[in-house]
Amino acid sequence: MLFTLKANELRKLFFDFFRSKEHLIVPSAPMVIKDDPTLMFTNAGMNQFKDIFLGNKLPDSRRIANSQKCLRVSGKHNDLEEVGHDTYHHTMFEMLGNWSFGDYFKKEAIDWAWEFLIKELEIPEERLYATIFKGSPEENVPRDDEAFNCWKNCFNDHKGRIIEGSKKDNFWEMGETGPCGPCSEIHVDIRDESERKKVPGHKLVNTGHPHVIEIWNLVFIQYNRLSDGKLEQLPAKHVDTGMGFERLCMVVQGKKSNYDTDVFQPVIKQISAITGRKYGVNETCDIALRVIADHLRAVSFSIADGQMPSNNKAGYVIRRILRRAVRYGYNSLGTEEPFLYKLVPALADVMGENYPELVTGKDHIAKVILEEEKSFLKTLGKGLKLIEKKIEELRNEGRNILPGKSAFELYDTFGFPVDLTRLIMKENGMNTDIAGFENEMKNQKSRSREDAAVDAGDWITVRETGETIFTGYAVTEDEVLISKYRKIKFKGRESLQIILDRTPFYAESGGQVGDTGFLISGREKIEISDTVKENNAILHLSHGGLTDPSAKFHAVIDIAKRQMTENNHTATHLLHHALRSVLGKHVEQKGSLVTPDHLRFDFSHFTKLTKEELKKVEETANKLVRESSNIRVSEGISMKDAREMGAMALFGEKYGETVRVVRFGESIELCGGTHVGNTGSIGIIKIISEGGIAAGIRRIEAITAARAEEYINEKIEATGEVAALLKSTGNIRDSVEKILAENALLRKNIEKFEAQSALVIIRELESKAILIKGIRFLSGKIDTGSVDLLKKIALQVSSSSDNTVLVIGAGTGEKANILVMVSDSLVKGKNINATAIIKEIAGEINGGGGGQPFLASAGGRNPAGIPSALKKAEEHIRNLLH
Ligand code: ATP
Ligand code: MG
């Protein structure tokens, strides 16, 4: 074995090997998937080639190899709970793969895998095992004899080396329907000699032993599964292989754990340096160190791909991974301050060579992680407090089991995994209702599954036409033919998906919404309610029926809507350019939405835009509008040429494919969307909002053309109405300022006047004061509409005497107010309470109220009741002191 081979060298060796077998080496596709409704993250090397397997696209080369960044944390492949606890499953990992698209098949795939492992990497033959599909009579699929014979020829002695596997391990399917076929896995036994002597390796294959593990899976795609479950032979057969890069490093470098290789060690060392916890001393700490070293990769690569942690969908998955890392640090390594973000440079050092997006995005990634860590550490604190409260409640109630519902709430709202909750409960001598928790989990899962379930029928082919030609850049109507269609049912509603030979309908992508319109034949008019992409196929959605699929159709899109959308799409490019020139080159697009009504643009920037900056951005963009630049489009050019033209290197794009560059003056973007022919037709761009949506990400919203004109006119009209009200002929601002100044003066005068009248009123009240058992009782009806004045009187009386109960009322029209003040000494000494008095007398004015023991008030609708209310208050005091 090549013990000294470094990870980066091993990856190169793989590429060189398959290059020598005439494979085209392509870069990894993004790990975060943007245009596939059925998948959030790339979970295998084949994802990016799905369209080729489905026959929607032709490959650039019939032999391809690469290393693909994969994430297995949701859906069909979810290894999250294993990660850290075992030594060979990761969340994010690299999958080395080679593909044949209708080219070579089983023999070459197996021979070359063997040659690479045995000759290139010098892995001893006696450590390898191969599995093959044993066949499935009920499905009418025979044993994979072809693969068996290939392996037989590879091994010098094949006895006990080729193992038959069932459908679960040795039959691969893309989904419920579609391409599928048998697979053949290679397993490697890295146990020490002494152990190998005790138990033969083939007994441990596929049993979860950490040192007898699968490294490479060769899939032979030879069938197509129909929706009735039947299999048909594919006309062109494909090979799809996947080998875990980190596992291969472990084998080749002679280690017993993926984490002992140079892929992870530099990061683990850095964690140790920060936390003072060494790797390999204590298992609890080791698990945490592994979890953190692993999760850092998943989170960093996602952010580099443009996926921010957030509250839903892919963003939520990433947030949960990040939180898992923080929690392991907090629990096992004692990290109470953010620290993950400090590991990003070490990761960039290890992985940057093959994944330059980590190097360029380093600062941004670290900032985003830091913000997330800060906010989660706060939540974690809150969650811990909540658990403490729950424990106390349970104790008071004499119970000792935390209900499943509470455990689920902690998990769902605070990101507390149930094992942590259980641990904390145990430390407090209590149990957790795990079954109840799992029930809640199940309910939530089935809720979300029901929401997403799409029931699709088989495609019905009308005629073979090949990939749909999109004509919508040039025309808005076209003569088209239906190539296939199918019925789908979503949330109980039936609709139709139609694929055409050519189409002017733009399918939703790159933030731009899909076109709507009609397909018209001599016999029918089909309304198209939306156009979307699925695995690169353009699907026209219709809720109506289809009577004659073979007819010729005239396709026409809603032109007005398309024009408004184009205004907004081009405006998005101009705003992007303006933002970069005003704020700086760190501004990068992070997302966008372009509809006929408005546009939304998300970009990286760390502070709120000042009023001046916003104005400058808008001015710059509008200047570009007025420059009336014509669109210049370059199609079918390589990423390299695009970058040389000045288009930004967008890491979210798939490499290897050619791109389309859209230019307006100095604005240069990679874009597949539709645009105005000349910026002048946008008329005007108006930004209507700016705000933060996540750490380091801001969003602006804007409108254009007629919508902007309407908006501006509305504002002008509103100002005009104000001017008319003010009867202002000159500057409105001056008029408003004048009124405000007058108002302030008037208020001052009123206050002065009220203070004077308060004194007069108090004197009058005092002159009618009565004594009840030595307590001064002041009451009266006051002629004012101002509750303020009542309060002023009460405060003045309370500050000048400490032996008084004051009850005053005021009323105008249909409004009555009463206020009761009781001196502090009486509240304490005599138990007289203003709130109690108010409660008793408020009914007299048809109202209610409350307050504090020394001051309470009530409002009502019967001013005529004030005298009787005052009388009642007096009686209350008399009774009380009796
Ligand atoms: P396992 O049974 O070990 O989970 P798998 O059957 O899920 O593997 P495949 O889907 O066939 O694996 O993926 C191809 C290869 O990718 C595997 O042979 C393995 O080397 C690697 N691999 C799969 N899952 C992971 C993971 N979570 N972390 C690291 N490598 C993995
Ligand atoms: Mg697996």
Side-chain angles (χ1 to χ4, degrees):
M1 257 179 290
L2 307 173
F3 292 119
T4 54
L5 199 66
K6 294 216 165 54
N8 283 336
E9 294 165 351
L10 175 58
R11 202 188 285 111
K12 275 203 201 101
L13 214 60
F14 179 82
F15 294 158
D16 288 344
F17 178 79
F18 279 100
R19 205 178 276 121
S20 79
K21 309 286 181 207
E22 290 155 55
H23 285 61
L24 175 73
I25 309 300
V26 304
S28 173
M31 189 172 78
V32 181
I33 296 180
K34 288 170 189 151
D35 52 8
D36 185 344
T38 62
L39 198 62
M40 286 195 282
F41 302 101
T42 298
N43 61 23
M46 60 74 56
N47 295 161
Q48 70 161 319
F49 303 117
K50 223 164 130 181
D51 281 328
I52 303 177
F53 293 131
L54 288 168
N56 295 334
K57 223 182 97 179
L58 287 174
D60 289 346
S61 157
R62 285 155 70 105
R63 297 181 182 187
I64 281 182
N66 76 348
S67 170
Q68 172 65 48
K69 30 186 188 173
C70 298
L71 189 64
R72 292 195 166 180
V73 290
S74 55
K76 179 177 165 192
H77 291 291
N78 188 346
D79 294 334
L80 185 62
E81 297 302 321
E82 261 75 62
V83 174
H85 293 266
D86 77 16
T87 48
Y88 59 103
H89 277 100
H90 302 295
T91 53
M92 181 261 163
F93 66 99
E94 288 182 71
M95 197 186 279
L96 302 174
N98 56 293
W99 283 268
S100 152
F101 304 113
D103 191 40
Y104 61 83
F105 206 45
K106 293 181 194 176
K107 175 161 174 31
E108 293 84 344
I110 291 174
D111 282 352
W112 290 338
W114 187 258
E115 185 185 338
F116 181 66
L117 297 177
I118 300 276
K119 301 242 170 70
E120 294 288 320
L121 303 185
E122 299 172 13
I123 297 174
E125 178 183 328
E126 70 268 17
R127 290 187 174 265
L128 294 178
Y129 294 89
T131 66
I132 60 143
F133 182 46
K134 69 174 175 193
S136 160
E138 66 271 24
E139 298 223 16
N140 219 4
V141 186
R143 174 177 184 268
D144 195 353
D145 292 334
E146 194 182 347
F148 179 85
N149 288 329
C150 294
W151 286 120
K152 203 170 120 189
N153 290 335
C154 291
F155 285 102
N156 278 315
D157 176 9
H158 75 274
K159 290 227 172 55
R161 293 318 179 92
I162 308 174
I163 301 162
E164 291 188 353
S166 66
K167 195 168 164 232
K168 179 179 141 284
D169 284 319
N170 287 81
F171 197 83
W172 178 88
E173 313 200 46
M174 189 187 274
E176 275 172 33
T177 58
C180 56
C183 59
S184 193
E185 304 158 343
I186 303 172
H187 294 252
V188 57
D189 181 355
I190 53 170
R191 291 174 303 155
D192 293 336
E193 284 306 327
S194 57
E195 278 183 64
R196 292 181 55 217
K197 280 201 185 108
K198 278 187 235 152
V199 187
H202 71 260
K203 290 221 161 122
L204 298 174
V205 165
N206 272 334
T207 60
H209 192 290
H211 299 145
V212 182
I213 57 165
E214 176 190 330
I215 50 166
W216 204 344
N217 192 358
L218 317 179
V219 181
F220 310 118
I221 304 176
Q222 62 187 97
Y223 304 111
N224 180 36
R225 191 183 287 282
L226 301 171
S227 62
D228 63 5
K230 289 216 178 74
L231 295 176
E232 60 180 15
Q233 287 279 345
L234 281 175
K237 299 186 172 43
H238 314 291
V239 172
D240 152 16
T241 87
M243 172 156 57
F245 175 64
E246 298 76 5
R247 292 184 189 180
L248 187 65
C249 285
M250 160 175 79
V251 174
V252 171
Q253 294 176 4
K255 306 288 189 201
K256 288 272 167 14
S257 152
N258 288 4
Y259 295 91
D260 290 340
T261 65
D262 62 338
V263 180
F264 288 98
Q265 274 301 311
V267 172
I268 291 182
K269 288 216 174 90
Q270 179 79 25
I271 310 172
S272 296
I274 294 172
T275 61
R277 306 295 175 101
K278 286 234 149 34
Y279 188 66
V281 177
N282 159 309
E283 181 62 7
T284 310
C285 283
D286 286 356
I287 292 175
L289 288 166
R290 291 197 287 262
V291 164
I292 294 163
D294 173 278
H295 291 8
L296 173 74
R297 303 190 339 148
V299 172
S300 300
F301 273 94
S302 301
I303 298 171
D305 267 1
Q307 181 57 61
M308 302 293 286
S310 75
N311 254 341
N312 54 44
K313 295 192 183 144
Y316 188 52
V317 174
I318 299 308
R319 175 167 282 169
R320 287 220 327 256
I321 298 175
L322 193 148
R323 291 183 167 189
R324 190 168 184 261
V326 173
R327 200 169 48 68
Y328 271 87
Y330 189 93
N331 277 335
S332 309
L333 307 178
T335 47
E336 292 183 8
E337 296 291 320
F339 72 101
L340 284 175
Y341 75 101
K342 293 185 192 158
L343 306 171
V344 176
L347 179 67
D349 276 352
V350 178
M351 311 277 294
E353 191 178 318
N354 206 48
Y355 300 98
E357 65 269 34
L358 274 191
V359 180
T360 46
K362 203 162 64 180
D363 295 343
H364 174 66
I365 296 168
K367 272 187 185 162
V368 172
I369 294 182
L370 172 62
E371 292 302 317
E372 280 287 315
E373 281 190 89
K374 274 199 220 153
S375 83
F376 181 54
L377 283 166
K378 259 190 244 152
T379 316
L380 197 61
K382 262 192 228 150
L384 288 172
K385 276 209 191 98
L386 203 81
I387 293 194
E388 273 163 30
K389 216 177 102 204
K390 286 254 148 70
I391 292 173
E392 205 181 301
E393 275 171 25
L394 290 174
R395 247 186 216 133
N396 290 340
E397 291 163 18
R399 292 189 299 162
N400 68 351
I401 297 177
L402 182 76
K405 227 186 166 97
S406 307
F408 181 74
E409 184 194 327
L410 280 161
Y411 165 80
D412 202 37
T413 324
F414 296 96
F416 260 66
V418 72
D419 55 344
L420 177 67
T421 304
R422 180 158 55 177
L423 197 75
I424 298 173
M425 296 308 291
K426 234 193 220 151
E427 285 165 6
N428 285 277
M430 295 188 179
N431 291 322
T432 308
D433 175 9
I434 298 293
F437 168 83
E438 276 162 4
N439 210 18
E440 294 286 331
M441 276 291 264
K442 223 169 62 207
N443 289 345
Q444 195 199 39
K445 268 195 195 136
S446 65
R447 273 197 304 274
S448 54
R449 206 173 308 126
E450 271 161 30
D451 282 351
V454 180
D455 188 5
D458 282 329
W459 285 107
I460 297 165
T461 304
V462 181
R463 47 174 80 78
E464 288 294 344
T465 59
E467 207 174 324
T468 310
I469 300 167
F470 175 61
T471 57
Y473 291 134
V475 296
T476 53
E477 38 196 291
D478 208 346
E479 303 312 315
V480 306
L481 296 171
I482 293 181
S483 68
K484 44 185 173 174
Y485 67 96
R486 69 173 175 187
K487 281 205 181 107
I488 62 162
K489 211 172 180 181
F490 182 60
K491 289 186 178 171
R493 190 169 182 206
E494 273 206 6
S495 53
L496 216 53
Q497 293 180 332
I498 303 170
I499 299 184
L500 304 172
D501 63 334
R502 49 198 285 121
T503 182
F505 284 80
Y506 180 79
E508 176 182 340
S509 58
Q512 180 178 336
V513 296
D515 278 328
T516 60
F518 292 97
L519 297 180
I520 305 161
S521 75
R523 293 178 57 187
E524 56 189 329
K525 184 168 177 183
I526 300 166
E527 183 172 357
I528 301 299
S529 59
D530 200 0
T531 313
V532 297
K533 248 186 206 170
E534 192 176 289
N535 306 316
N536 251 10
I538 300 177
L539 309 183
H540 304 77
L541 308 186
S542 170
H543 295 301
L546 176 62
T547 46
D548 184 7
S550 61
K552 286 184 181 162
F553 285 89
H554 181 69
V556 47
I557 65 167
D558 184 330
I559 297 169
K561 245 172 95 178
R562 163 75 90 81
Q563 264 166 5
M564 293 195 285
T565 308
E566 288 180 344
N567 285 334
N568 287 334
H569 201 156
T570 305
T572 308
H573 286 200
L574 302 186
L575 280 168
H576 187 192
H577 186 73
L579 281 164
R580 283 171 69 86
S581 61
V582 173
L583 302 177
K585 298 290 176 241
H586 62 282
V587 169
E588 266 178 34
Q589 173 166 357
K590 290 291 169 204
S592 73
L593 175 70
V594 180
T595 76
D597 298 325
H598 80 305
L599 70 92
R600 204 170 75 190
F601 186 73
D602 302 340
F603 56 100
S604 46
H605 185 60
F606 272 88
T607 49
K608 184 168 177 55
L609 268 68
T610 63
K611 239 164 83 187
E612 291 69 36
E613 283 170 337
L614 258 187
K615 206 167 144 202
K616 194 87 210 280
V617 169
E618 197 180 271
E619 275 169 13
T620 311
N622 276 312
K623 211 169 132 228
L624 297 170
V625 169
R626 286 191 300 273
E627 274 170 13
S628 296
S629 308
N630 283 325
I631 187 169
R632 281 180 298 156
V633 177
S634 318
E635 238 156 324
I637 58 173
S638 71
M639 277 294 277
K640 189 168 149 278
D641 290 345
R643 224 170 299 146
E644 269 161 23
M645 267 181 196
M648 273 167 299
L650 289 179
F651 287 109
E653 303 295 319
K654 281 185 197 163
Y655 287 76
E657 290 175 19
T658 57
V659 291
R660 179 172 184 260
V661 176
V662 174
R663 283 187 282 185
F664 289 100
E666 284 173 9
S667 148
I668 305 171
E669 304 236 7
L670 298 187
C671 179
T674 68
H675 286 273
V676 299
N678 181 293
T679 57
S681 43
I682 298 170
I684 185 158
I685 301 173
K686 186 79 207 144
I687 298 176
I688 52 172
S689 78
E690 188 273 343
I693 54 163
I697 306 284
R698 316 248 3 134
R699 166 173 293 175
I700 52 176
E701 288 179 296
I703 48 181
T704 62
R707 276 295 307 273
E709 189 179 62
E710 239 169 68
Y711 176 87
I712 293 167
N713 283 339
E714 268 168 26
K715 296 271 163 190
I716 295 174
E717 246 165 61
T719 329
E721 279 162 20
V722 174
L725 282 175
L726 294 174
K727 300 204 169 41
S728 160
T729 46
N731 187 328
I732 310 179
R733 196 195 157 89
D734 288 349
S735 308
V736 172
E737 271 174 1
K738 209 172 112 207
I739 287 178
L740 288 178
E742 275 171 18
N743 208 18
L745 195 70
L746 287 174
R747 186 170 303 135
K748 238 191 213 152
N749 284 341
I750 288 174
E751 272 169 17
K752 223 190 303 166
F753 172 75
E754 277 187 350
Q756 281 165 2
S757 61
L759 281 179
V760 175
I761 292 166
I762 289 170
R763 237 171 273 139
E764 209 180 303
L765 286 171
E766 280 175 338
S767 72
K768 292 189 292 184
I770 52 173
L771 279 177
I772 306 172
K773 297 266 166 160
I775 289 171
R776 208 163 65 121
F777 182 77
L778 302 188
S779 75
K781 184 173 178 208
I782 291 151
D783 194 12
T784 176
S786 156
V787 180
D788 262 5
L789 180 59
L790 295 186
K791 275 195 194 137
K792 234 173 230 154
I793 293 168
L795 289 178
Q796 195 116 9
V797 172
S798 114
S799 67
S800 64
S801 147
D802 65 353
N803 185 32
T804 303
V805 174
L806 170 80
V807 184
I808 44 179
T812 46
E814 288 215 332
K815 253 178 84 183
N817 285 294
I818 305 177
L819 196 129
V820 178
M821 186 284 295
V822 179
S823 294
D824 273 350
S825 67
L826 300 180
V827 174
K828 285 179 201 132
K830 302 279 186 201
N831 214 8
I832 305 178
N833 186 316
T835 315
I837 300 175
I838 273 292
K839 289 256 148 75
E840 196 160 325
I841 66 177
E844 300 297 313
I845 56 164
N846 288 350
Q852 286 156 303
F854 59 92
L855 189 70
S857 62
R861 275 165 284 113
N862 177 28
I866 290 176
S868 58
L870 301 182
K871 202 80 216 140
K872 228 177 168 177
E874 185 184 331
E875 275 161 26
H876 176 91
I877 305 282
R878 281 190 197 284
N879 288 339
L880 197 72
L881 298 175
H882 190 62

